[in-house]
Amino acid sequence: MTPSFPDRWRVSNPVLIAETFSSHIWKVAFEDGRPGVVKVLKPFEDVADELRGRHLLRWRRGEGLVKLYGVDGRRMLIEYAGERLLAAEIDTAGDTRATDIAAAVMRRLHAPSPFTPPTELQPLRERFKSLFNKAAADRKAGGVSPYVEAARIAGRLLDNQLNPRPLHGDLHHDNILLSARGWLAVDPKGLIGDPCFDAANMFYNPLDRDDLRLAPERVAAMATTFSKTLGRDPRTILDHAIAYGCLSAAWHHEGGNRQDEDGTLAVSAVIRAVRVKF
């Protein structure tokens, strides 16, 4: 079924280019022939988590992120970011090059802005709710788990956030694309907190590359690169990665996805081992 969009957007020729658990993605054409994208969010439980990202898109005005052109309910008209994912850069130019690109995008995302940050962003502490709940349940059960240690790390990091600012919140190899304006991030979650959080998910991606995700030398190299980008101690970068990984695993646990939970915890264990040596 061909969708209809607001007349004020003046777009045509919709072509469905992707469908995820949360949305339909339509490529459209503007009146001058330029391509655009309409993201239509499905009515699912966490739709507010997806909608929050529009506030960050509007605030950044295309700096490091795709531009937001319009919002209509659960529909967003955004800049077309191209089709080449950062993950593809690993195969052609190597993983180090892909990490450098991600670092450059991160630098742009965190660049100072003359505009007041939006108030609708989710505080980082609130984001970690699932990890704290899982750790509390494990403690109550009397067991020792990586969740308990990760919650302790997360609590320390959240109590000592340095230079909190608006964050993408889900930066990884499939959320960075090569557009006509260069490499840009898409699909932000719209958080606010310590900038180191935006480096954390990179360690766990690409999801189908365990040869990279489980390689200690890659973990160490990423920590060094992102520490230079963010001006922070690499051990702090690794701590954020440990905390984030167990948060992600807690989400998988809540969803009953044992395979992805175990896979994420395996990567987190490698990061913890590398952290000890820094």
Side-chain angles (χ1 to χ4, degrees):
M1 180 177 177
T2 302
S4 61
F5 302 126
D7 291 340
R8 66 181 183 278
W9 286 359
R10 299 182 181 277
V11 296
S12 60
N13 302 325
V15 176
L16 184 66
I17 58 175
E19 180 178 359
T20 69
F21 79 95
S22 64
S23 62
H24 292 91
I25 310 296
W26 298 86
K27 185 177 180 181
V28 297
F30 288 103
E31 286 185 313
D32 60 4
R34 289 181 301 114
V37 164
V38 176
K39 182 176 182 179
V40 183
L41 296 174
K42 298 176 182 178
F44 65 106
E45 183 179 358
D46 292 330
V47 68
D49 194 44
E50 294 288 331
L51 283 171
R52 192 186 307 109
R54 73 186 188 274
H55 300 295
L56 187 70
L57 288 172
R58 184 178 291 115
W59 176 69
R60 284 266 45 142
R61 289 169 165 78
E63 183 60 40
L65 281 168
V66 289
K67 296 177 181 178
L68 177 67
Y69 296 127
V71 175
D72 184 78
R74 294 198 305 268
R75 299 179 292 186
M76 290 179 280
L77 177 62
I78 59 180
E79 178 182 7
Y80 178 62
E83 299 178 6
R84 183 174 176 79
L85 301 172
L86 182 60
E89 196 74 7
I90 295 175
D91 296 326
T92 58
D95 185 54
T96 298
R97 171 60 179 161
T99 299
D100 288 341
I101 291 171
V105 171
M106 196 181 306
R107 192 176 296 112
R108 292 182 64 195
L109 285 170
H110 295 168
S113 170
F115 305 103
T116 303
T119 59
E120 298 88 351
L121 303 180
Q122 183 183 44
L124 201 51
R125 186 177 297 276
E126 183 180 316
R127 191 72 173 173
F128 274 93
K129 180 180 178 181
S130 292
L131 172 58
F132 292 135
N133 287 345
K134 180 66 171 72
D138 286 358
R139 284 193 297 268
K140 185 176 181 180
V144 177
S145 79
Y147 295 105
V148 174
E149 174 63 13
R152 184 190 65 78
I153 293 172
R156 172 172 53 80
L157 294 172
L158 291 167
D159 287 341
N160 296 279
Q161 297 187 67
L162 183 62
N163 192 22
R165 64 182 60 193
L167 307 175
H168 182 284
D170 192 27
L171 200 62
H172 58 75
H173 295 73
D174 287 345
N175 273 347
I176 300 175
L177 292 90
L178 183 58
S179 75
R181 295 196 295 120
W183 293 97
L184 297 173
V186 300
D187 293 339
K189 296 301 183 184
L191 313 181
I192 187 164
D194 194 303
C196 291
F197 183 83
D198 264 351
N201 200 9
M202 292 297 300
F203 291 85
Y204 295 85
N205 281 273
L207 294 176
D208 61 349
R209 294 296 302 268
D210 277 355
D211 59 317
L212 297 175
R213 302 195 312 156
L214 297 172
E217 62 275 12
R218 191 231 196 184
V219 171
M222 273 191 160
T224 300
T225 295
F226 294 138
S227 71
K228 294 176 181 176
T229 302
L230 299 172
R232 303 289 290 278
D233 190 312
R235 293 171 295 183
T236 302
I237 303 294
L238 292 169
D239 283 344
H240 276 272
I242 293 167
Y244 171 82
C246 289
L247 169 62
S248 180
W251 289 331
H252 290 311
H253 181 84
E254 290 174 346
N257 189 340
R258 182 61 182 272
Q259 182 176 352
D260 285 347
E261 179 186 6
D262 289 346
T264 304
L265 289 176
V267 178
S268 180
V270 173
I271 297 172
R272 288 199 304 274
V274 173
R275 169 67 172 84
V276 171
K277 298 178 181 180
F278 262 82

